[in-house]
C-alpha cells in the first residue's frame, strides 16, 4: 500500500515491503521501526509484539530501540504518530451529502480487506491494554477529525448547514456507527451501512441537531467524566 493513511476513516495499515519515508538516517530508522511494528501488530497482535521481534524485522539493534523508544509501548505510540504525518485531506465532492458519504465509504474500504484491516484493528486493541497507545490513538484520530471539519465548514458556507454547526461532532457521528459495528458488536459493514450513516448525519445536520447549542451538554458531560 502507499504511505497515505486515510482515516476518519482509515487507520494506519501495514506498508508494502520496502516502502520507506524520505529523509536521513534518523528518519529511515524511525520508518523501519514503524514498519516492523505495524507488521508485528497485524501478524501477532499487541500482546505478542516484542522488542526482539521489532529488532529482527527492522534491523535496528535492541539497545537502540530501548534507548530511543523505551520499549514496545513507545514504539507503538511513535508508529501512530508517524502514520499521522501524511498528507491526507478530506473529500470535497461539492456537497455535504457527497462528502459525508465519501467519508463513510472510506471507513468501509479501510476494513473491507482482512489483511489491510489487521494493523488498525490491532492498534485499537493495543489502546485497551496500554495507556500510551490509547493516548496516541486518540491523538491520531483527533488530527484526522480536525482535517475532516473542512467538510462541514464548506457546507456552512454553501448554506447546507446552520452557521453554528459543530463540525467536530458531525464528522465523528459519521464514523461512530461504523466503528461500533467493527469494534464493539463485531458486525459486518458495507456500503449500504455507510450510506445509512451518512444519510442519518445529513438529516440531523439539516434539522439543527448538531448546532453547538445542542451538542454542548454532551461535550460538557464528556469533559466532566473521570478519565
Amino acid at each position: 500500500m502507499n504511505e497515505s493513511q486515510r482515516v476518519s476513516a482509515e487507520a494506519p495499515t501495514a506498508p508494502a515491503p520496502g516502502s520507506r519515508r524520505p529523509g536521513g538516517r534518523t528518519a529511515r530508522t524511525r520508518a523501519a521501526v514503524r514498519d516492523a511494528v505495524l507488521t508485528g501488530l497485524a501478524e501477532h497482535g499487541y500482546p505478542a509484539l516484542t522488542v526482539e521481534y521489532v529488532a529482527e524485522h527492522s534491523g535496528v539493534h535492541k539497545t537502540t530501540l530501548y534507548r530511543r523508544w523505551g520499549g514496545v509501548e513507545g514504539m507503538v505510540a511513535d508508529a501512530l504518530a508517524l502514520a499521522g504525518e501524511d498528507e491526507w485531506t478530506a473529500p470535497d465532492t461539492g456537497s455535504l451529502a457527497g462528502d459525508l458519504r465519501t467519508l463513510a465509504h472510506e471507513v468501509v474500504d479501510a476494513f473491507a480487506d482482512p489483511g489491510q484491516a489487521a494493523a488498525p484493528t490491532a492498534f485499537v486493541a493495543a489502546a485497551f491494554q496500554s495507556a500510551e497507545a490509547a493516548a496516541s490513538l486518540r491523538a491520531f484520530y483527533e488530527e484526522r477529525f480536525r482535517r475532516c471539519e473542512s467538510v462541514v465548514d464548506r457546507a456552512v458556507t454553501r448554506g447546507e448547514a446552520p452557521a453554528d454547526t459543530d463540525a467536530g461532532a458531525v464528522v465523528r457521528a459519521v464514523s461512530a456507527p461504523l466503528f461500533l459495528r467493527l469494534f464493539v458488536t463485531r458486525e459486518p459493514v458495507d456500503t449500504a451501512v455507510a450510506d445509512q450513516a451518512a444519510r442519518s448525519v445529513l438529516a440531523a445536520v439539516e434539522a439543527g441537531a448538531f448546532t453547538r447549542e445542542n451538542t454542548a451538554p454532551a461535550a460538557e458531560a464528556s469533559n466532566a467524566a473521570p478519565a
Side-chain angles (χ1 to χ4, degrees):
M1 64 163 260
N2 58 37
E3 284 292 328
S4 289
Q5 312 298 333
R6 297 176 315 203
V7 156
S8 66
E10 190 168 331
T13 53
S19 63
R20 292 291 184 272
R21 294 172 62 89
R25 180 177 179 182
T26 297
R28 289 194 298 271
T29 297
R30 189 183 178 204
V33 171
R34 176 252 190 182
D35 291 356
V37 168
L38 289 177
T39 301
L41 287 174
E43 292 181 352
H44 307 293
Y46 180 76
L49 184 65
T50 64
V51 173
E52 288 74 16
Y53 176 96
V54 175
E56 178 181 352
H57 288 78
S58 68
V60 179
H61 197 276
K62 286 194 300 181
T63 302
T64 301
L65 295 177
Y66 279 115
R67 184 178 69 250
R68 292 186 57 182
W69 285 276
V72 169
E73 280 194 322
M75 289 185 287
V76 169
D78 192 54
L80 270 166
L82 187 54
E85 296 175 8
D86 64 2
E87 298 179 356
W88 181 87
T89 57
D92 186 1
T93 65
S95 72
L96 180 59
D99 290 346
L100 294 178
R101 182 174 182 272
T102 300
L103 287 174
H105 278 229
E106 286 190 6
V107 177
V108 173
D109 292 344
F111 292 94
D113 177 8
Q116 181 178 337
T121 300
F123 267 121
V124 174
F128 281 94
Q129 302 172 67
S130 161
E132 191 170 354
S136 297
L137 187 66
R138 182 164 55 252
F140 176 88
Y141 275 105
E142 284 176 349
E143 171 60 17
R144 278 298 189 270
F145 288 133
R146 185 194 63 76
R147 298 187 199 183
C148 290
E149 290 181 8
S150 61
V151 164
V152 180
D153 295 338
R154 291 193 298 266
V156 170
T157 300
R158 291 191 297 258
E160 296 176 300
D164 59 344
T165 297
D166 187 335
V170 171
V171 296
R172 284 167 170 78
V174 176
S175 56
L178 303 175
F179 286 153
L180 171 70
R181 285 174 171 259
L182 287 165
F183 299 115
V184 179
T185 62
R186 305 297 291 172
E187 298 173 83
V189 296
D190 55 24
T191 55
V193 174
D195 288 345
Q196 182 185 58
R199 287 195 303 268
S200 298
V201 173
L202 178 64
V205 169
E206 293 174 342
F210 285 105
T211 58
R212 286 183 169 78
E213 178 183 358
N214 290 323
T215 59
E220 290 170 2
S222 175
N223 291 334

